């Protein structure tokens, strides 16, 4: 874990080192001032010597100024180093998340990944700032102050040794017991963030079903879980400050008692006793800061583990070394394919799938909700890997292709259409960042999107809100189809992506595909038989198996499920009734 984190300090090593050097200078000056104060009292004030008072006073002012400047510079470089370190960690997490397979994201959960990139990184940033500043300052102050105290009076300074041992035991007990609490708390924060993310993304559904109270109760439960764990951790942490205060007062009383006897017996001067009181404050304040930082570091250890888990996580789906850089054509073969999301040999989502699709043809897929249609097409661009069997594109197993090359040749319009904040042009260029205005307009014409774009005040420069919330479902679908076409793919997959458009527009889109992209293999998943009846080949999937395949006329004669669906829709029945 430490090795992983150290890799991301990188260019901020210099700032970290400067912060530690400046804080060391700050400490040396602070520790030296009480020593000068003892001479000021014993040599200057006691003897009434103004020259010595003036001289030592100047030295003290000089030391205070140096300490102030060094402290400010230390704080500046600590802030730069900690902020830069946090930036690198966030970037490393985000970069690795981009390589995650869908199953990897499911493993972590969206809420957990958000927590690890925000709350956990912030904890690490704060802990690192304290490590290079306070965790350097406190031990140095402790050591130097102890050295000066022993130099003034070794016997009296033994009091500090007992204080350090006592506080060390308390800190050890507190930190070892509080760490498991924080570890559990961060998991609950994951659940809290997941609840918020799910609620906000599905707020329209929540309001349409009037489930606000249910969502409030769910959030309250998640919030209470975090509260209860944090409260349990704080119940342990509260022993820290009382123990510190108890030690401080005991040390002051002990030094006052024994120091007074030493002054009376002339074994110690008044100035030295005053210095000892200052060193009491320095030593015990150092211990207090040290204890607080140990608690913070204890809390951040859980965050470090969680961040490193994301950074070091190896995706279950990776691009092969020296993967093939060219896809010959859009032909597709499924050879005895078995698949499930749990990676176990039971309960297959897809079972013994065998299919050949010629390049440039159209494949229609019909099946009930949950039958495995989407899982089927997600294997083609290798969003998931098969459990058994192989999926081939262009006659080559998809696992042998370079992932980027394969996915650049397979365009997929999912059931849930996603648009991003920005103009229509900017959204289109997600598929091809070098696409010209003419190419964008051509593909929007092909997807029947230009008819509503041309009516917009700013046309292709119209701003799209996050998720495409300022356009209708049908408009969103057509924009997503146009974006997919801009990739000029060898395989185009439409996963029920024309469900929100009328049948006339649906027919226009399909006819445009036949005329404009005849060499592209087209896969259309639809609940409407009318959307797939002109396909070269149609398959009917039920419970993860292909129960029938053929053209429209053949299936009407041989497949009861297909025929019943067609007849129900011809009579105006529910499209999903199959």
């Amino acid at each position: 874990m430490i090795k992983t984190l150290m890799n991301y300090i990188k260019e901020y090593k210099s700032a970290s080192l400067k912060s530690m050097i400046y804080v060391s200078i700050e400490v040396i000056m602070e520790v030296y001032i009480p020593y000068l104060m003892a001479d000021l009292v014993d040599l200057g004030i006691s003897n009434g010597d103004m020259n010595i008072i003036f001289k030592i006073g100047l030295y003290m002012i000089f030391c205070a100024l140096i300490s102030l400047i060094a402290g400010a510079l230390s704080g500046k470089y600590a802030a730069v180093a900690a902020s830069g370190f946090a930036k690198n960690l966030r970037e490393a997490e985000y970069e690795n998340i981009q390589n995650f397979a869908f199953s990897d994201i499911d493993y972590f959960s969206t809420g957990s990944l958000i927590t690890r990139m925000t709350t956990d990184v912030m904890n690490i940033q704060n802990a690192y700032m304290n490590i290079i500043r306070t965790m350097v300052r406190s031990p140095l102050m402790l050591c130097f102050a102890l050295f000066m105290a022993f130099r003034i009076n070794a016997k009296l300074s033994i009091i500090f040794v007992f204080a350090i041992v006592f506080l060390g035991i308390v800190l050890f007990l507190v930190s070892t017991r509080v760490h498991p609490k924080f570890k559990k708390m961060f998991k609950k924060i994951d659940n809290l963030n997941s609840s918020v993310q799910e609620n906000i993304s599905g707020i329209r559904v929540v309001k349409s079903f009037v489930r606000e109270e249910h969502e409030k109760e769910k959030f309250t439960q998640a919030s209470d879980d975090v509260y209860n764990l944090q409260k349990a951790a704080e119940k342990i942490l509260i022993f820290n400050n009382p123990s510190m205060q108890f030690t401080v007062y005991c040390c002051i009383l002990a030094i006052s008692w024994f120091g007074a006897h030493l002054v009376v017996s002339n074994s110690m001067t008044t100035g030295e006793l005053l210095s000892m009181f200052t060193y009491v404050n320095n030593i015990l304040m150092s211990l207090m800061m040290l204890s607080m930082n140990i608690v913070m570091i204890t809390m951040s250890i859980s965050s470090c583990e969680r961040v490193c888990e994301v950074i070091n996580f190896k995706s279950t789906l990776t691009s092969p070394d020296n993967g093939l850089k060219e896809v010959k054509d859009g032909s597709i073969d499924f050879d005895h394919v078995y698949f499930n999301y749990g990676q176990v040999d039971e309960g297959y989502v897809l079972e013994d799938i065998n299919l050949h699709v010629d390049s440039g043809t159209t494949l229609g897929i019909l099946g009930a909700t949950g039958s495995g249609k989407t899982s089927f097409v997600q294997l083609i661009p290798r969003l998931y890997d098969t459990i058994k069997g192989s999926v081939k594109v262009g006659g080559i197993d998809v696992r042998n292709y370079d992932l980027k090359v394969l996915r650049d040749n397979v365009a997929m319009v999912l059931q849930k259409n996603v648009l991003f904040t920005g103009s229509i042009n900017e959204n289109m260029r997600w598929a091809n960042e070098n696409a010209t205005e003419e190419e964008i307009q051509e593909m929007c014409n092909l997807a029947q999107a230009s008819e509503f774009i041309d009516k917009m005040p700013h046309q292709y420069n119209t701003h799209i809100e996050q998720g495409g919330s300022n356009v209708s479902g049908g408009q969103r679908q057509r924009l997503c189809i146009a974006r997919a076409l801009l990739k000029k793919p060898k395989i185009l997959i439409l996963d029920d992506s024309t469900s929100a458009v009328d049948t006339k527009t649906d027919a226009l889109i399909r006819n445009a595909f036949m005329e404009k992209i005849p060499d592209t293999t087209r896969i259309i998943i639809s609940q409407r038989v009318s959307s797939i009846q002109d396909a070269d080949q149609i398959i009917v999937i039920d419970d993860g198996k292909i129960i029938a395949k053929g053209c429209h006329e053949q299936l009407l004669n041989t497949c009861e499920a297909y025929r019943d669906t067609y007849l129900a829709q011809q009579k105006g029945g529910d499209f999903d009734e199959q």
Side-chain angles (χ1 to χ4, degrees), residues 28 44 54 80 121 123 129 131 142 221 223 247 258 288 294 311 343 362 395 397 405 432 483 487 574:
I28 291 170
F54 183 74
V80 169
V121 171
N123 287 337
M129 183 180 290
I131 286 171
L142 183 64
Q221 181 60 54
S223 183
T247 307
F258 293 110
M288 186 175 290
I294 287 174
I311 292 174
Q343 305 249 342
T362 301
D397 193 315
V405 171
N432 179 3
R483 182 174 61 189
K487 291 180 72 173
D574 188 347

Side-chain angles (χ1 to χ4, degrees), residues 47 360 386:
N47 297 327
T386 62

Side-chain angles (χ1 to χ4, degrees), residues 5 241 257 268 278 290 369 443 474 490 499 516 527 557:
L5 294 174
N241 281 341
W257 176 262
M268 189 178 190
T278 305
L290 196 60
T369 301
M443 295 309 167
K490 288 186 168 64
S499 58
K516 300 293 184 179
Q527 300 288 353
N557 295 323

Side-chain angles (χ1 to χ4, degrees), residues 472-492:
S472 70
Q475 291 172 339
R476 194 159 55 243
Q477 285 187 336
R478 283 177 278 175
L479 287 172
C480 288
I481 292 171
R483 182 174 61 189
L485 292 171
L486 263 177
K487 291 180 72 173
K488 299 179 180 177
K490 288 186 168 64
I491 299 172
L492 174 65

Side-chain angles (χ1 to χ4, degrees), residues 489-549:
K490 288 186 168 64
I491 299 172
L492 174 65
I493 300 170
L494 303 178
D495 186 358
D496 206 15
S497 54
T498 57
S499 58
V501 301
D502 58 84
T503 52
K504 179 183 177 182
T505 304
D506 184 17
L508 289 172
I509 292 172
R510 286 185 283 109
N511 291 335
F513 287 170
M514 296 294 292
E515 294 175 9
K516 300 293 184 179
I517 52 171
D519 297 329
T520 297
T521 303
R522 300 165 297 279
I523 299 176
I524 303 173
I525 297 175
S526 180
Q527 300 288 353
R528 293 193 294 221
V529 173
S530 61
S531 296
I532 59 174
Q533 65 182 31
D534 295 328
D536 299 293
Q537 183 179 191
I538 301 170
I539 62 173
V540 181
I541 297 180
D542 183 46
D543 196 25
K545 303 180 184 69
I546 296 178
I547 61 171
K549 67 175 76 171

